[in-house]
Amino acid sequence: MSLSRSRRRFLGKTLALSGSGWLALSGLAGCGGGNDGSNAPTPVDRTVDLPIPPLVEGRMRADGVRTFTLRMQPGETELVAGLRTATLGYEGAVLGPTLRMRRGERVRIQVINAIGEPATTHWHGMHVPAAMDGNPHQTFGDGESWTAEFDVLNEASTLWYHPHTEGKTGEQVYRGLAGLIRVEDEHADALGLPSDYGVDDIPLVIQDRRLRADGGLAYLETAHDLMGMKGDRFLVNGRERPRVYLPAQRVRLRVLNGSNARIYYLGFEDDRPFQVVASDGGLLPEPVTVNRLRMAPAERFEIVVDLSRDLGRGLWLRSYTGEIVNSLYMARGLADTFDRGTVDLLRLEVDRNAIHTPVVPQRLNTIVALEPNAPDRLFTLEVTNGEFTINRKPMDMRRIDERVRLGAVEVWEIRNNQGMLHPFHLHDVQFQVLSRDGAAPPPVERGWKDTIAVLPFETVRIVARFADFADPDVPYMYHCHILEHEDRAMMGQFVVT
Ligand SMILES: [Cu+2]
């Protein structure tokens, strides 16, 4: 089925529920309906242990290729205490293992589809050939498998994998399909940062969900949800408000905003400063000390928090989104109760003496500014005829929107013509952020990124080098990473030739 046909059918069905949600698309009209989940179960005030996804190394084959298997499968998970929820996972009931790989080696990943419908798996942030990207052009059906093989060219970083299925990405991720990739290299190894997985180097996948009273996942119940599916239950690694036991020392948290649409503004309950050491694509040039950190969907940040004086104490990692809500949503009716307030995410319990003595060096990485060698391209994010679009065009699988010359270093100017934030994600390459509305980006955005939050009516300029992989036939994608916007056509395609 063509994208346009399936999308029209979807919109026809949901628009019949209520037309009001779409008025807010213009960024002008108000929308009365909030998604506060009034029929959701009452939150249970207790915490459970933080699940740590297994760190898997695959199998090293005789041909020197590190080989992984990821089976997408159904399962049942206690996302919130006392409720059983039907979920999807990779190699388990929900989420997936953390894939450990090293720069310079070759990896092969066989993905098996056992979820009863077509799917893909995209290596978000990974610099790979377009045919290995796992985008909608590499869709495979239930009972089938797809194998990606590529050299790990990325530097040490926290990447992730998730479905990228035409029109179904939001639903498949929401049901549980997502996992982390931990890329390591010798440079990062030598720095002395906390790096003992699950001990002082903790992966955190932050997501929100809405559950029905019977525990089932509620997805796209109202037209308002099409603006971006947000829930009222906050999960870390697939559990609601869990607790993690940590040693009294510096600890690294590798945070992924794995939510479909929710924006977080992270901080600790005592407002203590912490150090941001890495962004989407690798280590920052130097650590940046903050006490709040905004994270849009698909963004990753690695932070180091000093717990050396906290033995016997605990503290909450929270989202203080209410402090910045007016900068995220200018259109009325788009922010819900949780966007306007504070949310407890994860309880850190410091129950042990220091195990390691990790450090945070003053120099972390060398990032040479890219020099453009090609004309700029302009991308406008807006709503055209009731659809989310880029350059006023809804996504069409058969249309190539941009042709980039191999080796080009290009500035992409992204203009948000709307009253809500759109996180813009570029496949193939990591980019540098040049400016936000003409001003220098904040220090936490001075490293490599693959997803950039573009604020309401803001213009962001990024620069990227499109090196290594040319293919005139198989495109890469660029799109909004609010998954309901992506599925509703806020996406385009480019080839590198
Ligand atoms: Cu968007």
Side-chain angles (χ1 to χ4, degrees), residues 9-59:
R9 205 169 66 181
F10 184 90
L11 291 180
K13 194 173 83 181
T14 49
L15 282 171
L17 290 174
S18 156
S20 66
W22 288 97
L23 294 176
L25 286 168
S26 66
L28 298 171
C31 174
N35 53 354
D36 297 348
S38 53
N39 60 348
T42 308
V44 179
D45 186 24
R46 75 175 210 234
T47 53
V48 294
D49 290 354
L50 175 75
I52 303 291
L55 182 68
V56 300
E57 307 194 354
R59 291 175 149 203

Side-chain angles (χ1 to χ4, degrees), residues 256-313:
L256 161 67
N257 180 350
S259 305
N260 284 32
R262 178 80 65 184
I263 298 148
Y264 301 97
Y265 194 46
L266 299 182
F268 294 95
E269 66 169 287
D270 59 0
D271 291 335
R272 72 178 55 198
F274 54 92
Q275 291 172 291
V276 184
V277 297
S279 56
D280 302 334
L283 293 159
L284 293 172
E286 55 205 29
V288 179
T289 300
V290 298
N291 61 12
R292 292 285 190 274
L293 181 63
R294 185 184 67 212
M295 291 194 72
E299 283 190 302
R300 287 89 64 211
F301 283 106
E302 298 178 21
I303 69 174
V304 174
V305 58
D306 187 353
L307 303 174
S308 59
R309 288 179 294 278
D310 296 290
L311 186 63
R313 288 210 295 261

Side-chain angles (χ1 to χ4, degrees), residues 51-108:
I52 303 291
L55 182 68
V56 300
E57 307 194 354
R59 291 175 149 203
M60 190 58 87
R61 310 291 292 230
D63 57 4
V65 180
R66 187 179 293 284
T67 303
F68 299 92
T69 300
L70 289 175
R71 187 170 184 269
M72 311 164 82
Q73 59 193 57
E76 197 180 59
T77 308
E78 192 173 3
L79 299 173
V80 307
L83 283 176
R84 307 297 299 179
T85 300
T87 51
L88 299 176
Y90 289 93
E91 297 289 301
V94 74
L95 298 175
T98 300
L99 307 184
R100 181 183 196 174
M101 48 186 83
R102 288 187 72 81
R103 184 179 199 175
E105 65 184 15
R106 193 163 181 83
V107 299
R108 184 182 298 142

Side-chain angles (χ1 to χ4, degrees), residues 381 388 418 420-423 480-482 485-486 490:
L381 312 179
F388 291 97
Q418 250 215 301
M420 68 183 297
L421 183 155
H422 295 286
C480 177
H481 221 287
I482 289 177
H485 300 185
E486 174 188 338
M490 195 174 245

Side-chain angles (χ1 to χ4, degrees), residues 2-4 7 137 166 393-401 475 477 489 491-493:
S2 76
L3 178 76
S4 54
R7 191 175 60 246
H137 292 275
E166 183 187 352
K393 291 176 290 189
M395 165 73 173
D396 185 336
M397 287 278 281
R398 294 152 302 183
R399 186 189 66 230
I400 301 299
D401 298 283
M477 313 284 137
M491 177 154 61
Q493 308 192 97

